[in-house]
Amino acid sequence: MKLSQSFTKTTKTAPADEASRSAKYLLRAGYIYKEMAGVYDYLPLGMRTLEKIIQIIREEMNAIGSEELRLTALQPKDVWEATDRWSDDVMDVWFKTKLNAGGELGLAPTHEEPLTHVMKSYISSYKDLPVYAYQFQTKFRNELRAKSGIMRTREFMMKDLYSFSKNREEHDVFYEKCADSYKKIFNRLGIGNDTFRTFASGGAFSKYSDEFQTLCEVGEDIIYLDREKGIAVNEEVYNDEVLADLGLDKSKLEQCKAAEVGNIFTLGYRFSDALDLCYNDEDGKRQKVFMGSYGIGPSRVMGVIAEKLSDDKGLIWPEEIAPYKYYIVGIGEKGEEMAAKLHDMAPEDIILDDRKNARTGEKFADAELMGIPYRVVISDKTLADNKVELKNRKTDETKLLTLDEFTSKLA
Amino acid sequence: MKLSQSFTKTTKTAPADEASRSAKYLLRAGYIYKEMAGVYDYLPLGMRTLEKIIQIIREEMNAIGSEELRLTALQPKDVWEATDRWSDDVMDVWFKTKLNAGGELGLAPTHEEPLTHVMKSYISSYKDLPVYAYQFQTKFRNELRAKSGIMRTREFMMKDLYSFSKNREEHDVFYEKCADSYKKIFNRLGIGNDTFRTFASGGAFSKYSDEFQTLCEVGEDIIYLDREKGIAVNEEVYNDEVLADLGLDKSKLEQCKAAEVGNIFTLGYRFSDALDLCYNDEDGKRQKVFMGSYGIGPSRVMGVIAEKLSDDKGLIWPEEIAPYKYYIVGIGEKGEEMAAKLHDMAPEDIILDDRKNARTGEKFADAELMGIPYRVVISDKTLADNKVELKNRKTDETKLLTLDEFTSKLA
């Protein structure tokens, strides 16, 4: 991508009402644009990072045998009345609207009801089970307070997977498989070392639910972490009984602030019961389907990563989700020529800062603010040795590579 | 994909209230699910075709130098009041909703206002222009009547591109470039031969707008087509004066029913004026930005293609947008074994019909209903000659290929 041809620009200041560092940097670097509190557009750089996060999650969801679909935001009230979640008193984050043709609709804050309803058309026998289906879909939640930039918003991208199993045993196997898959995802996203499976409150069908919590100073949760075992307990269930149940030693636990980046719930018969989703077992007996739900918010994860991995100069993206891997600055006529040549070899990997009206110092500062993993400088001096200078955004380490060494790294 | 592991099933009947053939087939084949009138979920097969359509459009939009972003559905009223489009009397397809924190919001039926507003942060000089930005985004339109399955719905996927130019001359060049790009897109989508650039009513800044109309019996428009010249006139501007203006001979025009699959508008200063989007020209003089909009609805296009290219047995997808290219049926033990082996070589290309409880005739009928371009049969008989039988869904042509010939076709 040539910076001279991209419409966004970096800015020195962010809106005064943005408190979180991630939001300030994402706004200043041109990744997002604030429509209003809790509602953000994704500009070209932001779209690329968001899509890369989505693609990683998609690959791992496909790898555990689940199928992608897309449900609608607009929801009729009948299925939600059947589960008693239509009322604003029960579900306080609904956006409701009216159909010109008559009737009230809601904007789905989650999708247990509609997907359970879809499955009534496709599940009738034990032979049809299990079913694992997921989507990347825009959720709407009428939060009273939006917070922390893209970490808690009113319109956001969500990956939600739902499992439909014959019984609890079948459910439990998939539940653990998905938990393992989540670990892989957070590793690939570059926050694996600081993300912990965390026991949180369960429901009628399970003592606990599982959250994936990333250590983060602006996180909304308090967790108690056993680093050695790599598991944690959410403050909401932190008591002696639970610690004993989980075999955790209070003296070994650290109290930490954390941001929830994923969660897994055992839904049991909560929705299949209310919506009558049943199957005939091998003996021809009618049984209820046992369900689970598995969420990750790609836009929220993007906010958490931006928050956690940034420094006082700007964002620092892990390579797998950076919008581009290299930020190339050519200095001098020959340097600029070679920079353009390298860019054209791999425009999907490279931001070419070919702006005429920006000084080299400004270009370097923008490379840092945008958080591109490697800054590449090509000048008459480096070219004299047939080399380019590579600087690692994260470690600040600088090294010289020959042009051949560098081009062999390009996709 | 193994059919035994996919949750959807084909059905013999469609909902009684679906009038259009495309909707019936898409529902029966398990591509879509009807939430309510005008609101459809995309099931795994439907998602794949929709995403392939999106990818083709994306590639062509990138090729003409435009940048992808994503704006929000939730909209505050102020920018729409500034252009006088907030009122339901002016824009009658709004879905409106209320924010719990106070205030009214709308669900964007289109995005001229918010993107013009975004550009106020990024456009200030002639050096910043032109800008071409597009998105794939879910639009909400509170249509009084939903029609023709996924061809006219209340929630749908839209590609909308907006251009921001220094002046009309710069605008006109891009306008034609985008029109050429649309032709490429409809060619790649397999409806190029029956899709015509059609003159339709313009606005304050242009005598005409351009529609791309696909000949289609259930289309909502009437066009007058000059096949030789490859252009048409929409009924709404069909009169002697317009024909003379366009140099068209009335006697050579065919009256046809058609469905609009794309459109291009010259917006001129309509939005830059109302929202004060200006730039300083080379002489330091303040000028208004000249705008255009360019739409294609991928879900609508999918409906039109499903309608147009189907026959009495079901859907017929062009290869580039079929969810899978081959539908493999193994007959007999060795045939089934080889079918599974071929599937594993290219699971993204192949549907393996490995259902135990379906007869061969049912499998063949489902292959046709789903519209997969090639049915591949492998039996003891074909294997005796080391061959597979390939049947073309569109032409019904059958031929035998050696296993090597077939595997060399796989991705």
Side-chain angles (χ1 to χ4, degrees), chain B residues 74-92 94-97 103-109 113 270:
Chain B
L74 292 175
Q75 292 291 317
K77 70 175 167 183
D78 50 347
V79 282
W80 298 83
E81 280 181 336
T83 61
D84 193 30
R85 295 213 293 179
W86 179 255
S87 160
D88 294 328
D89 298 332
V90 177
M91 183 105 95
D92 61 3
W94 274 114
F95 282 106
K96 299 276 179 68
T97 186
E104 204 183 6
L105 300 179
L107 294 179
E113 280 81 350
R270 164 80 178 87

PDB file of all heavy atoms in Angstrom, chain B residues 74-92 94-97 103-109 113 270:
ATOM      1  N   LEU B  74     -25.473   1.540  13.136  1.00  0.00           N
ATOM      2  CA  LEU B  74     -26.074   2.529  14.036  1.00  0.00           C
ATOM      3  C   LEU B  74     -25.659   3.935  13.625  1.00  0.00           C
ATOM      4  O   LEU B  74     -24.477   4.197  13.412  1.00  0.00           O
ATOM      5  CB  LEU B  74     -25.643   2.270  15.483  1.00  0.00           C
ATOM      6  CG  LEU B  74     -26.183   0.998  16.138  1.00  0.00           C
ATOM      7  CD1 LEU B  74     -25.564   0.810  17.536  1.00  0.00           C
ATOM      8  CD2 LEU B  74     -27.712   1.016  16.246  1.00  0.00           C
ATOM      9  N   GLN B  75     -26.632   4.817  13.529  1.00  0.00           N
ATOM     10  CA  GLN B  75     -26.383   6.178  13.062  1.00  0.00           C
ATOM     11  C   GLN B  75     -27.032   7.206  13.976  1.00  0.00           C
ATOM     12  O   GLN B  75     -28.204   7.079  14.311  1.00  0.00           O
ATOM     13  CB  GLN B  75     -26.979   6.344  11.651  1.00  0.00           C
ATOM     14  CG  GLN B  75     -26.278   5.535  10.577  1.00  0.00           C
ATOM     15  CD  GLN B  75     -24.886   6.043  10.290  1.00  0.00           C
ATOM     16  OE1 GLN B  75     -24.682   7.251  10.192  1.00  0.00           O
ATOM     17  NE2 GLN B  75     -23.920   5.143  10.182  1.00  0.00           N
ATOM     18  N   PRO B  76     -26.270   8.229  14.353  1.00  0.00           N
ATOM     19  CA  PRO B  76     -26.850   9.350  15.102  1.00  0.00           C
ATOM     20  C   PRO B  76     -27.598  10.248  14.113  1.00  0.00           C
ATOM     21  O   PRO B  76     -27.290  10.250  12.923  1.00  0.00           O
ATOM     22  CB  PRO B  76     -25.618  10.059  15.661  1.00  0.00           C
ATOM     23  CG  PRO B  76     -24.534   9.770  14.666  1.00  0.00           C
ATOM     24  CD  PRO B  76     -24.845   8.425  14.050  1.00  0.00           C
ATOM     25  N   LYS B  77     -28.559  11.000  14.638  1.00  0.00           N
ATOM     26  CA  LYS B  77     -29.412  11.703  13.676  1.00  0.00           C
ATOM     27  C   LYS B  77     -28.818  12.998  13.096  1.00  0.00           C
ATOM     28  O   LYS B  77     -29.217  13.425  12.028  1.00  0.00           O
ATOM     29  CB  LYS B  77     -30.797  11.967  14.268  1.00  0.00           C
ATOM     30  CG  LYS B  77     -30.880  12.981  15.371  1.00  0.00           C
ATOM     31  CD  LYS B  77     -32.359  13.183  15.743  1.00  0.00           C
ATOM     32  CE  LYS B  77     -32.478  13.943  17.057  1.00  0.00           C
ATOM     33  NZ  LYS B  77     -33.862  14.084  17.469  1.00  0.00           N
ATOM     34  N   ASP B  78     -27.840  13.586  13.790  1.00  0.00           N
ATOM     35  CA  ASP B  78     -27.400  14.926  13.369  1.00  0.00           C
ATOM     36  C   ASP B  78     -26.914  15.025  11.916  1.00  0.00           C
ATOM     37  O   ASP B  78     -27.308  15.939  11.189  1.00  0.00           O
ATOM     38  CB  ASP B  78     -26.366  15.519  14.350  1.00  0.00           C
ATOM     39  CG  ASP B  78     -25.237  14.549  14.649  1.00  0.00           C
ATOM     40  OD1 ASP B  78     -25.381  13.368  14.305  1.00  0.00           O
ATOM     41  OD2 ASP B  78     -24.212  14.977  15.212  1.00  0.00           O
ATOM     42  N   VAL B  79     -26.051  14.079  11.494  1.00  0.00           N
ATOM     43  CA  VAL B  79     -25.559  14.194  10.102  1.00  0.00           C
ATOM     44  C   VAL B  79     -26.673  14.006   9.083  1.00  0.00           C
ATOM     45  O   VAL B  79     -26.636  14.570   7.989  1.00  0.00           O
ATOM     46  CB  VAL B  79     -24.423  13.182   9.755  1.00  0.00           C
ATOM     47  CG1 VAL B  79     -23.096  13.645  10.320  1.00  0.00           C
ATOM     48  CG2 VAL B  79     -24.749  11.782  10.172  1.00  0.00           C
ATOM     49  N   TRP B  80     -27.672  13.203   9.434  1.00  0.00           N
ATOM     50  CA  TRP B  80     -28.786  12.964   8.505  1.00  0.00           C
ATOM     51  C   TRP B  80     -29.773  14.127   8.512  1.00  0.00           C
ATOM     52  O   TRP B  80     -30.455  14.368   7.510  1.00  0.00           O
ATOM     53  CB  TRP B  80     -29.496  11.654   8.851  1.00  0.00           C
ATOM     54  CG  TRP B  80     -28.595  10.467   8.723  1.00  0.00           C
ATOM     55  CD1 TRP B  80     -27.698  10.010   9.657  1.00  0.00           C
ATOM     56  CD2 TRP B  80     -28.455   9.600   7.592  1.00  0.00           C
ATOM     57  NE1 TRP B  80     -27.031   8.912   9.180  1.00  0.00           N
ATOM     58  CE2 TRP B  80     -27.475   8.630   7.921  1.00  0.00           C
ATOM     59  CE3 TRP B  80     -29.074   9.538   6.337  1.00  0.00           C
ATOM     60  CZ2 TRP B  80     -27.103   7.613   7.035  1.00  0.00           C
ATOM     61  CZ3 TRP B  80     -28.704   8.525   5.461  1.00  0.00           C
ATOM     62  CH2 TRP B  80     -27.722   7.581   5.811  1.00  0.00           C
ATOM     63  N   GLU B  81     -29.832  14.827   9.614  1.00  0.00           N
ATOM     64  CA  GLU B  81     -30.659  16.044   9.646  1.00  0.00           C
ATOM     65  C   GLU B  81     -30.022  17.124   8.771  1.00  0.00           C
ATOM     66  O   GLU B  81     -30.713  17.862   8.072  1.00  0.00           O
ATOM     67  CB  GLU B  81     -30.828  16.540  11.087  1.00  0.00           C
ATOM     68  CG  GLU B  81     -31.890  15.742  11.822  1.00  0.00           C
ATOM     69  CD  GLU B  81     -32.109  16.220  13.262  1.00  0.00           C
ATOM     70  OE1 GLU B  81     -31.188  16.821  13.838  1.00  0.00           O
ATOM     71  OE2 GLU B  81     -33.204  15.955  13.797  1.00  0.00           O
ATOM     72  N   ALA B  82     -28.699  17.152   8.791  1.00  0.00           N
ATOM     73  CA  ALA B  82     -27.980  18.165   7.991  1.00  0.00           C
ATOM     74  C   ALA B  82     -28.267  18.003   6.494  1.00  0.00           C
ATOM     75  O   ALA B  82     -28.233  18.974   5.739  1.00  0.00           O
ATOM     76  CB  ALA B  82     -26.482  18.081   8.261  1.00  0.00           C
ATOM     77  N   THR B  83     -28.527  16.765   6.055  1.00  0.00           N
ATOM     78  CA  THR B  83     -28.822  16.549   4.633  1.00  0.00           C
ATOM     79  C   THR B  83     -30.320  16.402   4.391  1.00  0.00           C
ATOM     80  O   THR B  83     -30.746  16.060   3.286  1.00  0.00           O
ATOM     81  CB  THR B  83     -28.133  15.270   4.111  1.00  0.00           C
ATOM     82  OG1 THR B  83     -28.639  14.150   4.852  1.00  0.00           O
ATOM     83  CG2 THR B  83     -26.627  15.352   4.248  1.00  0.00           C
ATOM     84  N   ASP B  84     -31.102  16.584   5.434  1.00  0.00           N
ATOM     85  CA  ASP B  84     -32.560  16.472   5.351  1.00  0.00           C
ATOM     86  C   ASP B  84     -33.025  15.058   4.956  1.00  0.00           C
ATOM     87  O   ASP B  84     -33.976  14.894   4.214  1.00  0.00           O
ATOM     88  CB  ASP B  84     -33.130  17.514   4.376  1.00  0.00           C
ATOM     89  CG  ASP B  84     -34.651  17.630   4.513  1.00  0.00           C
ATOM     90  OD1 ASP B  84     -35.163  17.393   5.623  1.00  0.00           O
ATOM     91  OD2 ASP B  84     -35.313  17.919   3.506  1.00  0.00           O
ATOM     92  N   ARG B  85     -32.323  14.036   5.466  1.00  0.00           N
ATOM     93  CA  ARG B  85     -32.764  12.676   5.177  1.00  0.00           C
ATOM     94  C   ARG B  85     -33.098  11.891   6.454  1.00  0.00           C
ATOM     95  O   ARG B  85     -33.218  10.673   6.427  1.00  0.00           O
ATOM     96  CB  ARG B  85     -31.698  11.912   4.375  1.00  0.00           C
ATOM     97  CG  ARG B  85     -31.492  12.524   2.990  1.00  0.00           C
ATOM     98  CD  ARG B  85     -31.134  11.494   1.945  1.00  0.00           C
ATOM     99  NE  ARG B  85     -29.832  10.874   2.149  1.00  0.00           N
ATOM    100  CZ  ARG B  85     -29.343   9.925   1.335  1.00  0.00           C
ATOM    101  NH1 ARG B  85     -30.056   9.493   0.301  1.00  0.00           N
ATOM    102  NH2 ARG B  85     -28.134   9.415   1.550  1.00  0.00           N
ATOM    103  N   TRP B  86     -33.216  12.573   7.585  1.00  0.00           N
ATOM    104  CA  TRP B  86     -33.548  11.865   8.826  1.00  0.00           C
ATOM    105  C   TRP B  86     -35.046  11.574   8.915  1.00  0.00           C
ATOM    106  O   TRP B  86     -35.470  10.521   9.397  1.00  0.00           O
ATOM    107  CB  TRP B  86     -33.101  12.676  10.048  1.00  0.00           C
ATOM    108  CG  TRP B  86     -33.437  11.994  11.361  1.00  0.00           C
ATOM    109  CD1 TRP B  86     -34.439  12.343  12.233  1.00  0.00           C
ATOM    110  CD2 TRP B  86     -32.796  10.845  11.925  1.00  0.00           C
ATOM    111  NE1 TRP B  86     -34.457  11.480  13.308  1.00  0.00           N
ATOM    112  CE2 TRP B  86     -33.459  10.553  13.135  1.00  0.00           C
ATOM    113  CE3 TRP B  86     -31.734  10.037  11.520  1.00  0.00           C
ATOM    114  CZ2 TRP B  86     -33.084   9.485  13.963  1.00  0.00           C
ATOM    115  CZ3 TRP B  86     -31.359   8.969  12.336  1.00  0.00           C
ATOM    116  CH2 TRP B  86     -32.036   8.703  13.534  1.00  0.00           C
ATOM    117  N   SER B  87     -35.831  12.480   8.415  1.00  0.00           N
ATOM    118  CA  SER B  87     -37.281  12.355   8.537  1.00  0.00           C
ATOM    119  C   SER B  87     -37.811  11.135   7.785  1.00  0.00           C
ATOM    120  O   SER B  87     -37.411  10.853   6.656  1.00  0.00           O
ATOM    121  CB  SER B  87     -37.942  13.626   7.989  1.00  0.00           C
ATOM    122  OG  SER B  87     -39.294  13.355   7.679  1.00  0.00           O
ATOM    123  N   ASP B  88     -38.734  10.422   8.418  1.00  0.00           N
ATOM    124  CA  ASP B  88     -39.352   9.258   7.776  1.00  0.00           C
ATOM    125  C   ASP B  88     -40.189   9.660   6.560  1.00  0.00           C
ATOM    126  O   ASP B  88     -40.477   8.831   5.700  1.00  0.00           O
ATOM    127  CB  ASP B  88     -40.236   8.505   8.772  1.00  0.00           C
ATOM    128  CG  ASP B  88     -39.402   7.899   9.888  1.00  0.00           C
ATOM    129  OD1 ASP B  88     -38.243   7.526   9.637  1.00  0.00           O
ATOM    130  OD2 ASP B  88     -39.900   7.814  11.028  1.00  0.00           O
ATOM    131  N   ASP B  89     -40.576  10.930   6.512  1.00  0.00           N
ATOM    132  CA  ASP B  89     -41.324  11.396   5.340  1.00  0.00           C
ATOM    133  C   ASP B  89     -40.419  11.510   4.118  1.00  0.00           C
ATOM    134  O   ASP B  89     -40.859  11.322   2.986  1.00  0.00           O
ATOM    135  CB  ASP B  89     -41.951  12.776   5.619  1.00  0.00           C
ATOM    136  CG  ASP B  89     -42.952  12.702   6.761  1.00  0.00           C
ATOM    137  OD1 ASP B  89     -43.535  11.619   6.958  1.00  0.00           O
ATOM    138  OD2 ASP B  89     -43.118  13.709   7.471  1.00  0.00           O
ATOM    139  N   VAL B  90     -39.152  11.822   4.355  1.00  0.00           N
ATOM    140  CA  VAL B  90     -38.199  11.960   3.251  1.00  0.00           C
ATOM    141  C   VAL B  90     -37.603  10.602   2.902  1.00  0.00           C
ATOM    142  O   VAL B  90     -37.525  10.207   1.746  1.00  0.00           O
ATOM    143  CB  VAL B  90     -37.068  12.954   3.636  1.00  0.00           C
ATOM    144  CG1 VAL B  90     -36.026  13.038   2.522  1.00  0.00           C
ATOM    145  CG2 VAL B  90     -37.649  14.325   3.948  1.00  0.00           C
ATOM    146  N   MET B  91     -37.177   9.868   3.926  1.00  0.00           N
ATOM    147  CA  MET B  91     -36.567   8.544   3.727  1.00  0.00           C
ATOM    148  C   MET B  91     -37.485   7.550   4.439  1.00  0.00           C
ATOM    149  O   MET B  91     -37.462   7.440   5.661  1.00  0.00           O
ATOM    150  CB  MET B  91     -35.170   8.537   4.348  1.00  0.00           C
ATOM    151  CG  MET B  91     -34.437   7.245   4.125  1.00  0.00           C
ATOM    152  SD  MET B  91     -33.152   7.413   2.881  1.00  0.00           S
ATOM    153  CE  MET B  91     -31.749   7.744   3.941  1.00  0.00           C
ATOM    154  N   ASP B  92     -38.275   6.841   3.637  1.00  0.00           N
ATOM    155  CA  ASP B  92     -39.345   6.044   4.262  1.00  0.00           C
ATOM    156  C   ASP B  92     -38.919   4.616   4.616  1.00  0.00           C
ATOM    157  O   ASP B  92     -39.751   3.804   4.999  1.00  0.00           O
ATOM    158  CB  ASP B  92     -40.599   6.026   3.372  1.00  0.00           C
ATOM    159  CG  ASP B  92     -40.326   5.401   2.011  1.00  0.00           C
ATOM    160  OD1 ASP B  92     -39.191   4.932   1.781  1.00  0.00           O
ATOM    161  OD2 ASP B  92     -41.254   5.390   1.186  1.00  0.00           O
ATOM    162  N   TRP B  94     -36.340   3.909   6.855  1.00  0.00           N
ATOM    163  CA  TRP B  94     -35.594   3.894   8.120  1.00  0.00           C
ATOM    164  C   TRP B  94     -36.156   2.853   9.092  1.00  0.00           C
ATOM    165  O   TRP B  94     -37.359   2.739   9.257  1.00  0.00           O
ATOM    166  CB  TRP B  94     -35.716   5.242   8.828  1.00  0.00           C
ATOM    167  CG  TRP B  94     -34.736   6.292   8.447  1.00  0.00           C
ATOM    168  CD1 TRP B  94     -35.039   7.465   7.812  1.00  0.00           C
ATOM    169  CD2 TRP B  94     -33.331   6.324   8.713  1.00  0.00           C
ATOM    170  NE1 TRP B  94     -33.900   8.215   7.652  1.00  0.00           N
ATOM    171  CE2 TRP B  94     -32.832   7.538   8.201  1.00  0.00           C
ATOM    172  CE3 TRP B  94     -32.432   5.434   9.333  1.00  0.00           C
ATOM    173  CZ2 TRP B  94     -31.487   7.895   8.290  1.00  0.00           C
ATOM    174  CZ3 TRP B  94     -31.090   5.792   9.409  1.00  0.00           C
ATOM    175  CH2 TRP B  94     -30.629   7.010   8.891  1.00  0.00           C
ATOM    176  N   PHE B  95     -35.257   2.149   9.749  1.00  0.00           N
ATOM    177  CA  PHE B  95     -35.566   1.528  11.034  1.00  0.00           C
ATOM    178  C   PHE B  95     -34.983   2.462  12.086  1.00  0.00           C
ATOM    179  O   PHE B  95     -33.781   2.731  12.080  1.00  0.00           O
ATOM    180  CB  PHE B  95     -34.881   0.157  11.182  1.00  0.00           C
ATOM    181  CG  PHE B  95     -35.533  -0.970  10.440  1.00  0.00           C
ATOM    182  CD1 PHE B  95     -34.965  -1.492   9.294  1.00  0.00           C
ATOM    183  CD2 PHE B  95     -36.709  -1.545  10.927  1.00  0.00           C
ATOM    184  CE1 PHE B  95     -35.560  -2.552   8.616  1.00  0.00           C
ATOM    185  CE2 PHE B  95     -37.307  -2.613  10.250  1.00  0.00           C
ATOM    186  CZ  PHE B  95     -36.735  -3.111   9.093  1.00  0.00           C
ATOM    187  N   LYS B  96     -35.803   2.938  12.992  1.00  0.00           N
ATOM    188  CA  LYS B  96     -35.307   3.816  14.055  1.00  0.00           C
ATOM    189  C   LYS B  96     -35.324   3.048  15.372  1.00  0.00           C
ATOM    190  O   LYS B  96     -36.135   2.129  15.559  1.00  0.00           O
ATOM    191  CB  LYS B  96     -36.214   5.054  14.189  1.00  0.00           C
ATOM    192  CG  LYS B  96     -36.278   5.928  12.925  1.00  0.00           C
ATOM    193  CD  LYS B  96     -35.144   6.908  12.838  1.00  0.00           C
ATOM    194  CE  LYS B  96     -35.184   7.758  11.571  1.00  0.00           C
ATOM    195  NZ  LYS B  96     -36.294   8.721  11.493  1.00  0.00           N
ATOM    196  N   THR B  97     -34.444   3.444  16.280  1.00  0.00           N
ATOM    197  CA  THR B  97     -34.412   2.799  17.586  1.00  0.00           C
ATOM    198  C   THR B  97     -33.964   3.814  18.640  1.00  0.00           C
ATOM    199  O   THR B  97     -33.581   4.931  18.291  1.00  0.00           O
ATOM    200  CB  THR B  97     -33.492   1.549  17.554  1.00  0.00           C
ATOM    201  OG1 THR B  97     -33.589   0.847  18.792  1.00  0.00           O
ATOM    202  CG2 THR B  97     -32.041   1.927  17.304  1.00  0.00           C
ATOM    203  N   GLY B 103     -31.639   9.336  23.547  1.00  0.00           N
ATOM    204  CA  GLY B 103     -31.458   9.754  22.155  1.00  0.00           C
ATOM    205  C   GLY B 103     -31.956   8.712  21.183  1.00  0.00           C
ATOM    206  O   GLY B 103     -32.126   7.541  21.527  1.00  0.00           O
ATOM    207  N   GLU B 104     -32.187   9.166  19.950  1.00  0.00           N
ATOM    208  CA  GLU B 104     -32.727   8.303  18.910  1.00  0.00           C
ATOM    209  C   GLU B 104     -31.603   7.933  17.935  1.00  0.00           C
ATOM    210  O   GLU B 104     -30.743   8.743  17.630  1.00  0.00           O
ATOM    211  CB  GLU B 104     -33.827   9.080  18.163  1.00  0.00           C
ATOM    212  CG  GLU B 104     -34.850   8.208  17.481  1.00  0.00           C
ATOM    213  CD  GLU B 104     -35.867   9.041  16.692  1.00  0.00           C
ATOM    214  OE1 GLU B 104     -35.701  10.268  16.596  1.00  0.00           O
ATOM    215  OE2 GLU B 104     -36.808   8.436  16.153  1.00  0.00           O
ATOM    216  N   LEU B 105     -31.621   6.718  17.463  1.00  0.00           N
ATOM    217  CA  LEU B 105     -30.649   6.268  16.465  1.00  0.00           C
ATOM    218  C   LEU B 105     -31.401   5.687  15.277  1.00  0.00           C
ATOM    219  O   LEU B 105     -32.552   5.272  15.396  1.00  0.00           O
ATOM    220  CB  LEU B 105     -29.724   5.191  17.038  1.00  0.00           C
ATOM    221  CG  LEU B 105     -28.855   5.548  18.250  1.00  0.00           C
ATOM    222  CD1 LEU B 105     -28.034   4.334  18.682  1.00  0.00           C
ATOM    223  CD2 LEU B 105     -27.927   6.712  17.914  1.00  0.00           C
ATOM    224  N   GLY B 106     -30.721   5.604  14.129  1.00  0.00           N
ATOM    225  CA  GLY B 106     -31.282   4.939  12.959  1.00  0.00           C
ATOM    226  C   GLY B 106     -30.340   3.840  12.499  1.00  0.00           C
ATOM    227  O   GLY B 106     -29.156   3.841  12.845  1.00  0.00           O
ATOM    228  N   LEU B 107     -30.882   2.885  11.736  1.00  0.00           N
ATOM    229  CA  LEU B 107     -30.057   1.837  11.130  1.00  0.00           C
ATOM    230  C   LEU B 107     -29.825   2.220   9.673  1.00  0.00           C
ATOM    231  O   LEU B 107     -30.782   2.279   8.888  1.00  0.00           O
ATOM    232  CB  LEU B 107     -30.778   0.496  11.197  1.00  0.00           C
ATOM    233  CG  LEU B 107     -30.998  -0.071  12.585  1.00  0.00           C
ATOM    234  CD1 LEU B 107     -31.757  -1.396  12.494  1.00  0.00           C
ATOM    235  CD2 LEU B 107     -29.672  -0.293  13.294  1.00  0.00           C
ATOM    236  N   ALA B 108     -28.584   2.460   9.313  1.00  0.00           N
ATOM    237  CA  ALA B 108     -28.264   3.030   8.002  1.00  0.00           C
ATOM    238  C   ALA B 108     -28.830   2.223   6.840  1.00  0.00           C
ATOM    239  O   ALA B 108     -28.490   1.064   6.662  1.00  0.00           O
ATOM    240  CB  ALA B 108     -26.754   3.151   7.855  1.00  0.00           C
ATOM    241  N   PRO B 109     -29.700   2.860   6.034  1.00  0.00           N
ATOM    242  CA  PRO B 109     -30.175   2.223   4.799  1.00  0.00           C
ATOM    243  C   PRO B 109     -29.194   2.457   3.651  1.00  0.00           C
ATOM    244  O   PRO B 109     -29.271   1.815   2.616  1.00  0.00           O
ATOM    245  CB  PRO B 109     -31.504   2.926   4.527  1.00  0.00           C
ATOM    246  CG  PRO B 109     -31.473   4.200   5.286  1.00  0.00           C
ATOM    247  CD  PRO B 109     -30.391   4.137   6.316  1.00  0.00           C
ATOM    248  N   GLU B 113     -24.042   9.928   4.088  1.00  0.00           N
ATOM    249  CA  GLU B 113     -23.823  10.902   5.162  1.00  0.00           C
ATOM    250  C   GLU B 113     -22.636  10.548   6.056  1.00  0.00           C
ATOM    251  O   GLU B 113     -21.738  11.368   6.241  1.00  0.00           O
ATOM    252  CB  GLU B 113     -25.101  11.061   6.010  1.00  0.00           C
ATOM    253  CG  GLU B 113     -26.158  11.975   5.394  1.00  0.00           C
ATOM    254  CD  GLU B 113     -27.018  11.282   4.335  1.00  0.00           C
ATOM    255  OE1 GLU B 113     -26.689  10.152   3.923  1.00  0.00           O
ATOM    256  OE2 GLU B 113     -28.025  11.889   3.916  1.00  0.00           O
ATOM    257  N   ARG B 270     -24.407  17.379  -3.650  1.00  0.00           N
ATOM    258  CA  ARG B 270     -25.566  17.172  -2.771  1.00  0.00           C
ATOM    259  C   ARG B 270     -25.154  16.979  -1.300  1.00  0.00           C
ATOM    260  O   ARG B 270     -25.732  17.577  -0.405  1.00  0.00           O
ATOM    261  CB  ARG B 270     -26.343  15.942  -3.282  1.00  0.00           C
ATOM    262  CG  ARG B 270     -27.360  15.321  -2.327  1.00  0.00           C
ATOM    263  CD  ARG B 270     -28.658  16.079  -2.312  1.00  0.00           C
ATOM    264  NE  ARG B 270     -29.641  15.452  -1.443  1.00  0.00           N
ATOM    265  CZ  ARG B 270     -29.747  15.694  -0.137  1.00  0.00           C
ATOM    266  NH1 ARG B 270     -28.938  16.547   0.443  1.00  0.00           N
ATOM    267  NH2 ARG B 270     -30.696  15.102   0.581  1.00  0.00           N
TER     268      ARG B 270
END
